[in-house]
Every structure is written in structure tokens, then in C-alpha cells.
Amino acid sequence: MEGQDETDDFDGVDSTVPTVLPLDSHLQMARILASRPHGWHDRRRHARPSDSGFVPIFVYAIFGSSRQLAIGPVALTSLLVSNVLGKIVDSSEPLYTELAILLALMVGVLECIMGLLRLGWLIRFISHSVISGFTTASAIVIALSQAKYFLGYDIERSSKIIPLAKSIILGADKFLWPPFVMGSIILAILLIMKHLGKTSKSLRFLRASGPLTAVVLGTTFVKVFHPSSISLVGEIPQGLPKFSIPKEFGHVQSLIPTTILITGVAILESVGIAKALAAKNGYELDSNQELFGLGVANIVGSFFSVYPTTGSFSRSAVNHESGAKTGLSGIVMGIIMGCALQFLTPLFEYIPQCVLAAIVISAVIGLVDYDEATFLWRVDKRDFLLWTITCTVTLFLGIEIGVLVGVGVSLAFVIHESANPHIAILGRLPGTTVYRNIQQYPEAYTYNGIVIVRIDAPIYFANISYIKDRLREYEIEPDGSIKRGPGVTRVHFVIIEMAPTTYIDSSAVQALKDLHQEYKSRNIQIAISNPNRDVLLTLTRSGVVDLIGREWYFVRVHDAVQVCLQRVQSLTDSPRTQSSLLENRSSLFQRLPKQRPEDSLSQLESGNREIFTSKDEVTSHLEPLLSKKP
């Protein structure tokens, strides 16, 4: 699938070899089970990534709405689970597994609630820059966490870069050559196969077969040479998951922040990829139904010893490229996974851990999104700042804090943008009756004594103060545009173009009343152009329409300009000139029908006072927005 090439192998390891795990937390589960006395795993529950890729698939096929989405364990979710649970309990304790299962139940319940309440729109507040920065930092942390399998000694488990780097440096005296050499060779093979698969369509199979090739080579080497210094995965529990009820509900409160975070990641990954696939395959996707389907899959899965699952980019892409058209593809995938759990797990006992680490590192390299950073630097410095903040905080303070800070800064940008909306001064394009932003169209000209502004946002309590300040500035400061019309020295009319204004609240209504009174004290008249139905109803109910005057509401900016320009012209006429105009009224009436309204306005723009007529004569051709009261 286009646009997902960088992440296909990241969590796709699990789909190639069912028990090859994408993260150290998964490997740790297998090692815990292998280190227990024989038969321990038959008496106690265990949460395996392979289980997460088995039971939820069947449930999602029933309740989900996407026809191509494949769900299962993914890297970011796995990292979050590992980091949080590692702070609560040692990974060798049975409680570790119980909390992972409980977390799946909590995530499922939250997703179901959001789906039923139709709250999927909340995730729109997390920008792409936050996700890219978070993913980049997570990829670096994941790669460093795998270094111990290359180096041959343990390093501190942490989601922060400084403790990881410090632990790697301090343990350098325990370095072992065999796992480093073997892991480096496997990593080089994987990167070469991935590169060849990307650059040549005829060799695309190399990219998909890379992880399997690495596992086969590593296992063969171990079986032949039996190197003692290279650690192996060890025994992996065999058989299908059994029904059991989640426990340890006393830890629910401590898991709530992680539940919210994992749910956010689930929405971003699952709903995002599902919508993209739905668009490519020509059908509509209900994001709220998608959330509900994911929630039910996690809830049911928690009763079969799984940890949180979500949609997988890589497996979904494979589904799409393979021509999957219905949810039956997920059921087939689940059946194959069940067969692997039942019969094939002994084959993976001799997989070297440095080989799995190489697979993970080769996958996360593509997640270091430096291309996105350079793109944001060129296009939008603010988004680049957001990317940098999220990435840096995630690296140095941890994943949870990184995401929260990134989302917080993103929301701060949204609030700032909403509280400081774009306001444009409009001018008339030469030879037309079209009015546009004078900053965008320098050739547009304005009129002496008239300010035309367009407010490109809803008007409400958070931005009305800013809007009032800007209107005052426009009244005082020259805008630098080309001026036409009568030679007046101050502003007499302010025309507000409200077509982009979709909403106005009570605070804005009161502020508009205050602004009208303020302008009235300085002999300035407000005119409103093209408000939408809801805004006009609000203004009518609040009395603003009658306060300003029904005659000052217009369908077009041009209509408002004609009336205001005529009024400005009348202000510059001396009594003598007005008397002369009245004497020649008949001749003006004879000439006016022969002229277009635009011709009359053009002469007014040039300052020709002889063309001036009464208000009714000039406005007889206008299209009124509101009829006058009888």
C-alpha cells in the first residue's frame, strides 16, 4: 500500500513467523515461560503475541466495518505495555501477565464506550506532526532496547534515551563478539533485501521474505554450530488459548493513563489505515463502528489471555495488496495462526535472540521520519517545532509524557489559532464587482472613508476581543492599498463580510452591540454583508439587526459599498452643491436610466459629484438582504 512502505516490516514480523515478536516485551514473555519449571505454563495463564493475533481476529471480523484491516500486536502498543507494566512489577512475576491481560480489557471497554458515544472525532486534535515525532522517538528507543542482544549483556529497561545509553556504555566490559557479528550480518542481509524489494518490482518478494530468511539462517547456524555465547528464544508454549477471566482489578487506577494512551494509538493506527483502505476500495467506513469493533475484539480477547491489540499497518497492507474484499480474509488468517500455535511452536525454540533483534532494528529504521522533519521545516515552521518538541520530550522524558506534551502543545496551537483568527481587509479587483484580500491581490483598491473586512472564523467569546482590537487598528492605521473615491480623511463606514463566519455566540453578540455604540459615538456606521442563516437568526433574536438598522444588511459586499460610497460622497458635498443637484434633478433622472449602476459608481469613485443622486435612486438596483419594517 502506498505511503506505508516504511512501516510494513515493523509489526509485520508477527505475520511472517507467528511467534517472532516485534518487541523486547514480547520476547521477555517467551523467556519468562521458558525459565519456569516444566509444565508451569500449563497451570498458569500466559499472554502471548501469537494469542493477540488469533482470538481478536475472529471477533473483529464480526463486529468491525473494515474489509481489509488486520488486527493484532503492533510495535507501539507493545512498547507502551512493556514500559508501564515494567514500572509496576518485575517482568518475571505472574502479575506482569495478569496486568497485561487486564489492560486489554480496559482498552476494549474504553474503545467500546467511545464507539457507542460516537467520540471518534476527538482524535482529530492529535496532529500528524505529533504522531511523526512520537513515532521517530519510539523507533530510536526500540532500536536501543534491542542493543543488548547484539552486545551480549543486559542493559537497563527504560523508555528514555539517557538511561539506555548510560547502561550500554557502563556495560561495555561485558561485550561479546559472537552475537554482535551474527546480528550485524543478519541486519545487513535484511537491509539489502528490503532495499532490493523497494527498488525493483520483480524483487518485491525479497522484502516480504526478509524476516523469514533471517530466522531460517539464524536457526540453521545455531543447529549446526551450537554457539554457547548466543542466547536463544527457548521454549514457547504450544496450544490454543483457553478461556479465563481477567484478574487483578485492584491495579485499574494505575493503568488508566496507559489505557487512554493505547486507545489513542489504536484510533490513529486502526481507523486511519481502515479509512485509507476503504477509500481505495470504494466503500464507506464508519469510524465509530470501527472503534466498537476494536473494543469488542479486545474485551473478548482479554478472556483468552491476550494483551491490547489494534490494527496493523503491515498486515493490512498485505491484505489489500493480496486482493482481500471481505472480512473473510481475517478469518483465514486466524485459522492459519491457530494451526501455527497448535503445531509449529517447537520450530521456533532455537531462534537466536540477536536475529530477532536485527529484524526489529531493520524495521524501526524506517520509522525514523527525518524526511517528514525536513518537509515540515520547508513548509510550516510551527509544525516543525511541534515535531521537534514531541520527539525530544519522548526521547528524554518517556513515551507517555512525550505524547501528552505533544498533544498539549498541539491543542495550544489550535486554541491560539482560534483565538486569533485571520481577518482580511478587502479591496475591489479592477473591472469587477469582486472583493478580495488586498494582501493577496495588491492590485485591488479600497475606498476613502470605507473599511471592508472579512472575518475568516466563527466569532465567539475567545476571539471577539482580538477581532475588536483589529477593527480599531484598521480604523486608525492606513492599510497601504490603492485608494479611490471621495477625498475624506477618516473612516465613516465599516463593512463586515460575514460569509466565512459559521457561528456567533452571545458574548460576540454583546461585543458587537458595544462596538456599534462605540462607532456611533464617532459617527461610524457598521454594515453587515452576507451572513449565513444561523448567524442572521442569532443577530435578529438578540436585537442586533434592529440596533444597527435593517437597511445596513446586504447580500453582497458590492451592494454595501455602493450605499456607503454614496453616503460618503454626500458628506463631502457643500449645501450649495446639494442645492444645485436638486435643481438639476430632472436631467439626472433622464441620464441615470441610460447608465449602468457600475458606471454611476465609477464616476463616484473618481469624485464626480454631479452624478450624485438620492439614496433611493442609487440603491434601487440593489438586492436587499432584509426588507424594511413597514
Side-chain angles (χ1 to χ4, degrees):
M1 179 180 170
E2 293 295 330
Q4 303 300 337
D5 290 344
E6 297 301 329
T7 59
D8 284 354
D9 289 322
F10 188 40
D11 53 2
V13 177
D14 180 58
S15 63
T16 305
V17 182
T19 50
V20 175
L21 315 177
L23 284 178
D24 176 58
S25 59
H26 304 172
L27 294 171
Q28 184 67 19
M29 290 181 184
R31 286 193 294 275
I32 294 169
L33 295 169
S35 65
R36 297 292 178 180
H38 180 68
W40 179 87
H41 55 265
D42 293 327
R43 299 191 300 270
R44 294 181 181 269
R45 289 198 291 169
H46 46 273
R48 299 175 297 181
S50 48
D51 292 344
S52 298
F54 174 60
V55 176
I57 289 179
F58 294 101
V59 180
Y60 177 80
I62 298 172
F63 293 97
S65 60
S66 176
R67 303 170 190 173
Q68 288 80 30
L69 188 70
I71 68 170
V74 297
L76 292 180
T77 301
S78 303
L79 182 62
L80 290 171
V81 172
S82 175
N83 287 336
V84 173
L85 299 188
K87 297 174 183 177
I88 298 175
V89 63
D90 188 85
S91 58
S92 62
E93 298 293 330
L95 179 60
Y96 187 91
T97 300
E98 294 293 346
L99 293 182
I101 296 169
L102 177 62
L103 197 55
L105 177 63
M106 294 175 63
V107 169
V109 170
L110 181 57
E111 289 174 338
C112 282
I113 292 174
M114 292 185 68
L116 292 173
L117 296 180
R118 309 189 70 81
L119 297 178
W121 57 270
L122 289 173
I123 206 65
R124 299 173 192 168
F125 288 99
I126 303 180
S127 71
H128 178 71
S129 302
V130 171
I131 298 305
S132 177
F134 166 71
T135 304
T136 297
S138 298
I140 296 172
V141 170
I142 292 169
L144 287 176
S145 70
Q146 299 298 305
K148 61 181 177 181
Y149 304 119
F150 272 58
L151 303 174
Y153 58 88
D154 287 336
I155 61 175
E156 182 178 346
R157 294 173 57 84
S158 177
S159 62
K160 305 173 186 177
I161 191 171
I162 292 180
L164 284 172
K166 183 179 179 181
S167 181
I168 291 172
I169 295 172
L170 293 178
D173 57 326
K174 303 174 185 177
F175 176 75
L176 298 176
W177 280 103
F180 179 79
V181 173
M182 184 178 187
S184 299
I185 292 173
I186 294 296
L187 178 59
I189 292 173
L190 285 169
L191 294 177
I192 291 172
M193 293 180 71
K194 182 186 289 188
H195 177 73
L196 293 175
K198 284 183 179 180
T199 55
S200 176
K201 288 186 177 181
S202 60
L203 298 176
R204 290 180 65 181
F205 69 93
L206 290 177
R207 187 162 186 256
S209 60
L212 181 60
T213 301
V215 169
V216 170
L217 290 176
T219 304
T220 302
F221 179 83
V222 169
K223 293 287 286 185
V224 172
F225 297 101
H226 304 286
S228 59
S229 57
I230 295 179
S231 59
L232 308 178
V233 170
E235 180 186 359
I236 296 176
Q238 186 174 1
L240 299 176
K242 297 180 181 180
F243 179 85
S244 57
I245 299 175
K247 304 175 183 177
E248 304 298 339
F249 287 95
H251 292 81
V252 166
Q253 186 173 355
S254 61
L255 296 178
I256 288 177
T258 305
T259 300
I260 297 173
L261 188 56
I262 290 176
T263 302
V265 171
I267 298 173
L268 289 170
E269 292 198 84
S270 300
V271 178
I273 189 66
K275 282 190 173 182
L277 291 173
K280 284 181 176 289
N281 288 275
Y283 65 91
E284 292 293 328
L285 184 85
D286 186 346
S287 59
N288 294 297
Q289 176 66 31
E290 197 67 15
L291 271 177
F292 181 76
L294 289 169
V296 174
N298 274 297
I299 291 174
V300 175
S302 68
F303 290 91
F304 290 90
S305 303
V306 308
Y307 70 95
T309 60
T310 187
S312 162
F313 283 117
S314 60
R315 289 188 290 276
S316 300
V318 171
N319 242 6
H320 170 69
E321 293 174 357
S322 300
K325 297 299 181 183
T326 68
L328 183 62
S329 60
I331 295 177
V332 173
M333 187 188 307
I335 293 173
I336 296 173
M337 183 70 70
C339 293
L341 289 171
Q342 186 68 32
F343 305 110
L344 302 180
T345 54
L347 298 178
F348 309 123
E349 183 176 344
Y350 296 97
I351 299 175
Q353 291 182 343
C354 61
V355 170
L356 297 183
I359 293 173
V360 174
I361 292 173
S362 70
V364 300
I365 286 175
L367 286 178
V368 180
D369 204 355
Y370 54 85
D371 288 336
E372 178 71 12
T374 56
F375 171 78
L376 293 176
W377 174 258
R378 294 196 310 269
V379 175
D380 192 332
K381 298 296 191 295
R382 188 181 64 178
D383 279 346
F384 174 79
L385 176 62
L386 186 58
W387 185 94
T388 304
I389 290 173
T390 304
C391 183
T392 303
V393 174
T394 301
L395 281 175
F396 290 94
L397 299 181
I399 290 176
E400 296 89 344
I401 297 178
V403 172
L404 292 176
V405 170
V407 172
V409 175
S410 182
L411 288 176
F413 284 159
V414 171
I415 294 171
H416 179 270
E417 187 70 22
S418 177
N420 298 272
H422 180 261
I423 303 176
I425 296 181
L426 305 185
R428 183 180 178 184
L429 296 180
T432 72
T433 58
V434 176
Y435 293 77
R436 291 292 182 265
N437 186 353
I438 61 174
Q439 298 295 326
Q440 186 176 358
Y441 298 90
E443 68 275 17
Y445 57 87
T446 58
Y447 298 104
N448 292 317
I450 302 173
V451 175
I452 311 168
V453 298
R454 185 186 67 216
I455 303 172
D456 297 327
I459 306 176
Y460 67 113
F461 66 93
N463 63 17
I464 186 60
S465 178
Y466 173 82
I467 292 172
K468 288 174 64 177
D469 291 342
R470 293 297 299 275
L471 290 176
R472 294 188 186 103
E473 291 176 9
Y474 295 148
E475 177 190 349
I476 299 171
E477 299 178 3
D479 52 47
S481 62
I482 303 170
K483 296 288 187 180
R484 294 191 182 183
V488 295
T489 58
R490 72 175 187 88
V491 173
H492 293 276
F493 294 93
V494 175
I495 301 173
I496 304 177
E497 161 67 294
M498 300 188 74
T501 303
T502 57
Y503 169 75
I504 184 169
D505 74 350
S506 58
S507 299
V509 167
Q510 186 59 48
L512 198 58
K513 290 181 179 180
D514 296 340
L515 186 65
H516 169 74
Q517 296 298 332
E518 181 182 330
Y519 277 159
K520 188 176 180 180
S521 66
R522 298 199 298 273
N523 294 320
I524 299 174
Q525 176 65 51
I526 294 178
I528 305 295
S529 169
N530 197 23
N532 70 28
R533 181 178 180 275
D534 293 337
V535 170
L536 188 57
L537 283 174
T538 301
L539 295 177
T540 302
R541 291 167 182 164
S542 62
V544 173
V545 167
D546 293 329
L547 180 66
I548 294 177
R550 301 173 72 87
E551 69 274 14
W552 293 106
Y553 288 78
F554 302 91
V555 173
R556 300 183 304 165
V557 172
H558 188 60
D559 294 343
V561 170
Q562 291 183 73
V563 173
C564 293
L565 190 60
Q566 178 247 343
R567 293 295 185 93
V568 173
Q569 180 68 58
S570 68
L571 294 173
T572 62
D573 287 324
S574 63
R576 180 178 178 179
T577 304
Q578 293 183 16
S579 174
S580 176
L581 288 170
L582 291 173
E583 292 175 1
N584 295 318
R585 190 182 186 103
S586 60
S587 61
L588 289 176
F589 269 108
Q590 293 174 358
R591 286 186 293 168
L592 189 59
K594 299 179 184 180
Q595 295 176 322
R596 295 178 302 168
E598 284 74 15
D599 295 334
S600 300
L601 185 58
S602 298
Q603 294 187 51
L604 280 173
E605 292 171 2
S606 64
N608 186 352
R609 301 182 181 185
E610 292 185 1
I611 195 62
F612 170 74
T613 60
S614 69
K615 172 185 171 184
D616 292 336
E617 292 164 0
V618 173
T619 61
S620 61
H621 63 280
L622 302 181
E623 183 179 358
L625 179 64
L626 298 171
S627 58
K628 296 181 180 180
K629 286 185 176 181

